[in-house]
Amino acid sequence: MFYFYDIKLCLFLLLIWIKVSQQICTLPPDFWCESEDIALKCTGSLKYCESYKRNIENNKNKINMKASFEALCSDSMAFVFNRLSNTILSNKESLETVNFEAVPWGLAKRKENGQVQCQHGIKECQFNTLFSCSNSIIENDYNRAKFFSCGMKQIINNVKAKDIINKCGILKSILTKKETELIENCINGNKGIQLQEEAEIITKKILNSPNFVPQILIGDNDKTMDMQIYQLLLKEKPSIWKASLKNIKSGGNKINNCTTPPDFWCSTEKISNECFTNEMCLKYKNEILDKKIDLNILYDPEEPVTQRMISESLKDTFIDNYAYNIQDVFTLKLTPIWNEWNKNDCNNRVTKGCRNIAVYHCISKHIDNLKTSTRLQMCLMNSKLNKDKLAFDSLNDDCRKKFFNLPLPIKNTILKCTHGQNYNSLIMEYEKFISTITPDKMTKEPWLLINSYSLSNAQNYLPILDKMMCIWYNGKNHDRQFCGRCEYEESRC
C-alpha cells in the first residue's frame, strides 16, 4: 500500500515539476539579467548573464556601439545633431558605458579601378577620411567624441576638411600637437586610404537590408534591424545597461563571446546561438506571440507632479500615442496608492482627503474596462490640477459625462465603495496587493509593473514606453522593423 502511495506521490511531484519547468518567462529580454531570480526564470541559468558581464568587463566595462554614417547625408546629420550630440557625445558617463565608434562610409561604393564614389560627392569622401583618421588617432574617448561632434557642425557651415582640424582641434584645445600632425598626415597619405578601406569592411557588418544610413550595431555578435530604434534611445539605454550589469555578479565563467545586451538575444539566430540558445528563444517567442504587454502604473493621486506626469506628459507621449499601432499591443492599468500619511489618517475616520483617494481606488477596482478606468482617473487628476477639485466633486462636475456613461450597477458599486465610516478595508486591500509584488519592492512613485513583474530598472522606461511597446510586442501582423523608422530615417517619411 505504501509502495503505491509513494509511486503516486512521485508521479504527482513529477507533474508539478514538468508544469513549472514548462513555464516560460514573459518578460522582455531587456530584463533577463536584472537579478539572479529573473535570470534563472528567464534563461534557466546564471551562466549566460555572467558570461555576458565577463565579456563586457574584458572590454573595459564598455558595450561597443558602431554607427554607420555619411558626412553629408541629411539623416546622418540629424542623427548627430538631434540625438548623438545631446547624449553619448556630450555625456562622459555614457562614454564610460558605451564604446562609441563613428564609421564614416555609409553607402559609398568602390569602383573597379579602386576609386571611391561617395553618395554626396568628393567633399563627402574628404570628410569621411577626416573622421576615419580622427577616430583612429585621438586616444581620449571624450575628446574624440567632441571633435566628431564639432566637425559635423562645421560641415554645415561649409568648412573644408583640413580647416576642421584647426577649428575643432587646435582652437578648442581638443587635439594635442602630436594628434594634429598625425591627422594632417593621415588625410593626405596612405593611412587615410587604409582606414577608409577598414570602414568599408566594418560598414558591411553594420548595415541591414534595406541599405540606408545612419544605422547602428550594438555589441559584436550580429547586426539586426531591432537595434535601429535604439538611435532614439541613446539618452536612456546606456544608463539602463549600466544598472543591469551591476546586478550581475562578477567572476562568472566565460562560456561564449557575447558582447550584445540581452535586449537582442532573440533578435537573430546568430545572436541567440552566441549569447543564449535559439531553442529557448523560439519557446519565448511562441509564448508571447500575439499577447499584449500588461502595464500597471502605481501612483499617488494626491501628488501634483505625478498628476501632471500621467494626465499630461504620459497621456501625450504614450496613452494617446497612435504611432506604429502601439495602442493595439498593450493594456494599461492605473492603480492608486495609499501613502503613509493617508493610511494613518484614514484608518479610523473619513475626511475629504480620504474620500478623494477612495474614489480613485474604487474606480480602479470596479471598472473592468481599463481604458475607461484610465480615462476617468486622468479626468479626475486634470480637474484637481486645473481647478483644485477633489475627485468626489469632479464626478458630478468636470468628469460627470465619463462617470454617468458607466453602466448603472458599476456606478452604484463605486458610490457604495467610496462611502463608509472608515477605509480600513480599502487600505488592507492595497497593502495586500503591495506585499505581493516581486521581485523588487516599490521604492518610489509612480512605479511601473511590466507583465506583473516589479523591477527597479523598469522605472527608467516610463519616458520611452511608446517605443518599447513597439519593440517588445511580438505579433503576426506587427512589423517590429518599422518601429521608429520615420524618426531615425526622417527622409524616408
Side-chain angles (χ1 to χ4, degrees):
M1 180 177 177
F2 288 107
Y3 174 75
F4 288 109
Y5 174 79
D6 289 342
I7 291 177
K8 288 182 178 179
L9 179 61
C10 290
L11 287 172
F12 176 71
L13 293 174
L14 178 63
L15 288 172
I16 292 177
W17 179 84
I18 291 173
K19 185 175 181 180
V20 171
S21 66
Q22 288 178 338
Q23 290 178 346
I24 305 296
C25 166
T26 59
L27 264 178
D30 307 48
F31 302 104
W32 286 359
C33 294
E34 283 300 314
S35 69
E36 289 190 359
D37 288 343
I38 295 295
L40 288 170
K41 183 174 180 61
C42 294
T43 71
S45 170
L46 299 179
K47 62 183 180 181
Y48 302 108
C49 293
E50 289 179 354
S51 182
Y52 161 64
K53 178 164 185 174
R54 183 70 174 267
N55 293 330
I56 298 301
E57 288 176 334
N58 292 341
N59 193 42
K60 300 180 180 179
N61 283 309
K62 291 187 177 185
I63 296 169
N64 289 337
M65 180 186 293
K66 296 179 176 66
S68 174
F69 77 104
E70 297 168 340
L72 294 180
C73 165
S74 60
D75 286 334
S76 294
M77 290 179 177
F79 173 56
V80 175
F81 300 144
N82 299 337
R83 295 184 284 279
L84 272 178
S85 290
N86 298 325
T87 55
I88 290 177
L89 297 184
S90 60
N91 189 322
K92 287 187 176 181
E93 185 175 345
S94 292
L95 287 171
E96 290 173 358
T97 305
V98 174
N99 179 33
F100 177 76
E101 180 183 351
V103 183
W105 180 267
L107 304 182
K109 297 178 181 178
R110 190 173 295 279
K111 297 180 180 180
E112 291 183 3
N113 61 6
Q115 288 186 334
V116 177
Q117 181 179 353
C118 292
Q119 281 281 98
H120 304 90
I122 187 66
K123 281 189 176 181
E124 182 169 76
C125 288
Q126 293 170 351
F127 291 129
N128 286 349
T129 302
L130 167 65
F131 290 125
S132 278
C133 291
S134 63
N135 289 343
S136 173
I137 291 167
I138 302 174
E139 295 183 359
N140 181 278
D141 292 343
Y142 190 53
N143 285 344
R144 186 166 58 250
K146 285 197 296 183
F147 182 86
F148 174 60
S149 182
C150 175
M152 287 294 287
K153 289 177 182 176
Q154 293 300 325
I155 288 174
I156 290 184
N157 298 326
N158 206 26
V159 175
K160 295 180 180 179
K162 62 180 181 180
D163 294 330
I164 288 177
I165 299 174
N166 181 56
K167 288 181 176 292
C168 293
I170 299 172
L171 295 180
K172 292 183 177 292
S173 300
I174 293 174
L175 299 178
T176 64
K177 184 178 180 180
K178 181 181 179 182
E179 287 173 337
T180 302
E181 293 175 355
L182 289 173
I183 292 174
E184 288 175 343
N185 292 334
C186 177
I187 62 176
N188 295 314
N190 291 330
K191 180 69 172 177
I193 296 172
Q194 177 191 335
L195 290 173
Q196 275 287 276
E197 290 174 350
E198 293 175 7
E200 180 183 10
I201 295 171
I202 295 172
T203 297
K204 292 177 182 177
K205 297 179 180 179
I206 301 173
L207 293 187
N208 297 271
S209 180
N211 282 357
F212 64 90
V213 289
Q215 287 196 44
I216 59 175
L217 174 68
I218 302 170
D220 304 296
N221 299 99
D222 195 17
K223 60 187 178 183
T224 169
M225 277 295 292
D226 288 355
M227 294 177 180
Q228 302 320 310
I229 192 174
Y230 280 58
Q231 295 182 40
L232 309 175
L233 306 173
L234 298 178
K235 176 183 177 182
E236 296 84 6
K237 268 297 178 176
S239 59
I240 290 173
W241 288 330
K242 185 177 182 179
S244 292
L245 283 165
K246 285 183 178 179
N247 292 333
I248 308 168
K249 70 177 183 180
S250 298
N253 293 325
K254 175 183 170 69
I255 64 167
N256 54 37
N257 294 314
C258 179
T259 57
T260 303
D263 311 40
F264 311 107
W265 283 5
C266 291
S267 290
T268 72
E269 186 174 343
K270 188 172 186 292
I271 297 177
S272 298
N273 288 328
E274 292 186 12
C275 293
F276 186 38
T277 74
N278 193 50
E279 180 185 2
M280 288 288 284
C281 279
L282 291 174
K283 288 181 179 179
Y284 165 72
K285 288 179 179 179
N286 286 332
E287 179 69 19
I288 66 168
L289 184 65
D290 292 329
K291 290 182 180 177
K292 292 186 177 183
I293 298 153
D294 294 326
L295 305 176
N296 190 348
I297 297 178
L298 283 56
Y299 74 102
D300 186 345
E302 292 202 318
E303 174 55 53
V305 174
T306 302
Q307 292 169 354
R308 193 170 301 280
M309 189 278 282
I310 293 177
S311 65
E312 294 181 3
S313 60
L314 193 67
K315 177 178 181 292
D316 293 338
T317 61
F318 181 58
I319 297 173
D320 282 349
N321 187 343
Y322 290 86
Y324 310 109
N325 300 317
I326 64 169
Q327 294 300 321
D328 298 328
V329 307
F330 72 90
T331 62
L332 173 64
K333 181 178 177 64
L334 294 182
T335 301
I337 68 170
W338 294 79
N339 61 39
E340 291 303 314
W341 186 88
N342 294 140
K343 286 191 289 186
N344 293 332
D345 193 52
C346 303
N347 252 321
N348 299 308
R349 62 180 185 147
V350 174
T351 65
K352 287 185 177 181
C354 297
R355 178 165 290 178
N356 186 61
I357 304 296
V359 170
Y360 286 96
H361 181 112
C362 297
I363 288 171
S364 179
K365 176 182 177 181
H366 293 293
I367 299 179
D368 293 331
N369 186 305
L370 295 181
K371 288 188 176 181
T372 301
S373 174
T374 296
R375 296 290 175 193
L376 184 51
Q377 289 180 71
M378 287 197 302
C379 180
L380 298 176
M381 283 185 266
N382 263 321
S383 183
K384 176 62 177 174
L385 270 174
N386 299 321
K387 299 182 180 179
D388 199 27
K389 288 184 179 179
L390 293 176
F392 193 79
D393 296 325
S394 296
L395 288 180
N396 294 305
D397 194 352
D398 294 50
C399 305
R400 178 184 177 89
K401 185 176 180 180
K402 285 182 172 60
F403 182 60
F404 276 82
N405 280 340
L406 295 173
L408 183 60
I410 295 178
K411 279 190 295 186
N412 290 337
T413 300
I414 291 172
L415 292 174
K416 183 179 179 181
C417 174
T418 59
H419 286 79
Q421 298 303 312
N422 59 62
Y423 294 112
N424 279 339
S425 61
L426 301 187
I427 293 172
M428 288 175 65
E429 283 177 8
Y430 165 73
E431 289 184 325
K432 182 179 179 181
F433 167 71
I434 285 295
S435 69
T436 62
I437 63 173
T438 57
D440 297 335
K441 296 301 180 184
M442 184 174 72
T443 56
K444 60 181 180 180
E445 69 82 33
W447 188 263
L448 174 66
L449 305 182
I450 301 174
N451 287 346
S452 299
Y453 288 89
S454 173
L455 298 164
S456 296
N457 213 9
Q459 310 319 308
N460 295 308
Y461 287 89
L462 276 167
I464 53 174
L465 279 177
D466 57 319
K467 296 173 179 62
M468 302 318 299
M469 290 304 101
C470 192
I471 300 168
W472 289 341
Y473 179 73
N474 185 32
K476 294 174 184 175
N477 298 315
H478 181 65
D479 185 4
R480 296 169 74 241
Q481 293 191 5
F482 188 59
C483 295
R485 185 85 181 266
C486 289
E487 295 174 72
Y488 63 74
E489 191 194 359
E490 297 173 48
S491 64
R492 182 178 186 271
C493 303

